[in-house]
Amino acid sequence: MNIKSLLLGSAAALVAVSGARAADAVVVAEPEPAEYVRICDVYGAGYFYIPGTETCLRIGGYVRYDIGVGDVGTFTGATSGDHEDGDENDTYWKRARFTLKTWTGQETELGTLKTYTETRFNFGNSQGRADFAGYDPDGNPDFFPNEAGNTGVSLNFAWIQLGGLRVGKDESAFDTFIGYAGNVMNDTLVPYGGFDTNVVQYYFDAGNGFSAVVSLEEGYGDFTIDSYVPHVVGGVKWTQGWGAITGVVAYDSAYEEVAGKVRLDITPMENLSLFIMAGYGTDDNLTDPDWRFPAGGRGMYKLWSGNWAVWGGGTYTINEKTSFNTQISYDEGENLGVVANIAYDIVPGLTITAEASYLHAGEFGEAGFSNWTGADDEDSFGGQLRFQRSF
């Protein structure tokens, strides 16, 4: 045997051993594919399928910080008792808010099944005047300090909708269907209706610009129904390229009064939108002092002073980042509200808004004056700065 024969024999042996080991090799199973979240684009951006279901979910909300200054009558100012002597001092009104929103959607044989929730968490001091604490030994009024703190959690929306039928916690169709008022923060210096309520509501959309709503509502606080008879709201709307015209009418079952509003929206230019809205309501029972629980002239829907009120304003888009918004309102009680702001998108999702407000309470100091804003003078001025990160 020579060296060449030895090498060839060794190579043959190695091949045989390798083949035997290959026959006995363990086969590693392929990993099961992970179930990644699927995007759902049926209901708009931001939705995804809940794993294992056909339900689409979107989670969003905002973080907001408000700083208010000025008079309490514009919903921007605050006062506080001085820690040293109890005197009433002007101070900032500040509020931080975290709002969590959820939307769901799913197609069924009876139409689209949707839900919406909105929960708000707040920290800050109280807007308005400090609480009265009594009198000092010299007979001067003392006030409690206006302490900042967590101010509770509010459930603003929690409704279920199948097709056009909606049930749950919402805001009144008297406001939502007509589009609230202007794009300003303090749009209720002259109020245009109550908000919070449970609803049983049906919405109809003809698909050609015509829509309608009927809403059975519970109300809230002093405006809650007092029997099995609900508050009732009905509305119709006609929307076209030039804008829209909307009308709503409401029956207040607690005080047996009726109120209505009509609104006209127009878009004369691509970057300009304008609106005007007028309201009228009956108030015989709302102003009757002989009722066991007198309303003081204001109800769930006719929340303004007197029988009639008007609101008007608009939005002018200066550029893709900046808009100017304004609203003017007036009612039969001679309350005049003027508000204007500039909103600027610093980066996508982060907006800063600077707003100025003025209120003239024409009947301030007169007998029967209904002080809606808590004004302490006939004329009130205020300002507000808002930072908001939406997601």
Side-chain angles (χ1 to χ4, degrees):
M1 180 181 293
N2 55 29
I3 297 298
K4 183 176 181 180
S5 298
L6 181 60
L7 291 174
L8 289 173
S10 299
L14 288 171
V15 170
V17 172
S18 299
R21 289 184 176 177
D24 296 335
V26 176
V27 178
V28 179
E30 290 289 335
E32 294 185 4
E35 184 178 359
Y36 295 103
V37 173
R38 293 183 296 148
I39 300 300
C40 173
D41 57 5
V42 178
Y43 308 107
Y47 284 87
F48 60 90
Y49 285 99
I50 299 175
T53 76
E54 293 302 314
T55 300
C56 298
L57 170 65
R58 177 186 170 195
I59 300 173
Y62 60 81
V63 176
R64 172 188 293 174
Y65 185 55
D66 287 314
I67 304 171
V69 296
D71 299 321
V72 298
T74 56
F75 291 139
T76 60
T79 68
S80 178
D82 191 287
H83 283 79
E84 180 180 4
D85 55 22
D87 287 349
E88 186 179 22
N89 299 329
D90 292 329
T91 188
Y92 297 99
W93 167 67
K94 294 186 177 183
R95 179 182 63 193
R97 169 181 291 176
F98 166 58
T99 294
L100 178 64
K101 302 179 182 182
T102 69
W103 300 259
T104 67
Q106 180 180 345
E107 295 306 308
T108 75
E109 64 274 17
L110 297 179
T112 303
L113 175 61
K114 300 189 292 185
T115 68
Y116 174 65
T117 69
E118 182 175 326
T119 308
R120 298 175 183 176
F121 306 82
N122 299 296
F123 179 91
N125 61 346
S126 298
Q127 189 279 318
R129 296 190 65 180
D131 292 332
F132 177 66
Y135 293 93
D136 65 17
D138 296 327
N140 299 311
D142 281 343
F143 295 86
F144 287 108
N146 189 344
E147 299 175 347
N150 288 302
T151 56
V153 179
S154 63
L155 182 64
N156 291 72
F157 297 90
W159 50 254
I160 304 166
Q161 183 168 325
L162 178 60
L165 179 65
R166 177 181 297 184
V167 297
K169 170 64 174 64
D170 201 352
E171 291 185 337
S172 173
F174 195 67
D175 305 313
T176 60
F177 187 73
I178 206 167
Y180 297 96
N183 293 326
V184 295
M185 293 183 282
N186 286 317
D187 64 344
T188 58
L189 293 180
V190 173
Y192 48 85
F195 294 111
D196 292 328
T197 183
N198 286 320
V199 303
V200 177
Q201 183 181 107
Y202 189 80
Y203 175 79
F204 171 75
D205 188 344
N208 60 358
F210 175 80
S211 57
V213 68
V214 175
S215 184
L216 307 181
E217 304 184 348
E218 182 183 28
Y220 70 100
D222 293 339
F223 306 138
T224 306
I225 60 174
D226 55 10
S227 70
Y228 282 117
V229 181
H231 302 315
V232 183
V233 179
V236 293
K237 180 183 294 185
W238 177 250
T239 304
Q240 295 295 303
W242 50 264
I245 184 168
T246 312
V248 290
V249 63
Y251 171 69
D252 182 335
S253 73
Y255 288 92
E256 300 176 358
E257 300 285 8
V258 177
K261 292 184 295 188
V262 176
R263 173 171 175 149
L264 174 66
D265 290 274
I266 59 172
T267 308
M269 298 188 297
E270 183 179 356
N271 62 339
L272 176 64
S273 61
L274 302 171
F275 84 95
I276 186 168
M277 181 169 69
Y280 182 86
T282 61
D283 66 353
D284 288 346
N285 295 331
L286 293 173
T287 57
D288 190 339
D290 295 329
W291 279 54
R292 179 63 181 85
F293 300 99
R298 302 179 188 267
M300 174 68 185
Y301 303 106
K302 194 213 73 65
L303 200 52
W304 53 88
S305 179
N307 293 112
W308 57 266
V310 292
W311 304 260
T315 294
Y316 179 71
T317 303
I318 300 171
N319 55 47
E320 62 179 10
K321 285 179 169 287
T322 312
S323 63
F324 171 75
N325 308 280
T326 186
Q327 176 181 303
I328 301 174
S329 51
Y330 187 76
D331 64 22
E332 190 179 15
E334 299 180 10
N335 298 293
L336 170 66
V338 181
V339 186
N341 70 43
I342 292 285
Y344 178 71
D345 295 333
I346 301 174
V347 294
L350 178 60
T351 303
I352 181 172
T353 305
E355 182 168 285
S357 304
Y358 167 72
L359 173 73
H360 175 73
E363 296 180 347
F364 184 86
E366 297 182 11
F369 170 61
S370 178
N371 196 351
W372 167 253
T373 68
D376 54 8
D377 200 349
E378 185 176 35
D379 295 293
S380 299
F381 299 86
Q384 185 172 338
L385 186 65
R386 170 173 293 175
F387 300 86
Q388 181 165 311
R389 168 63 167 113
S390 301
F391 58 92

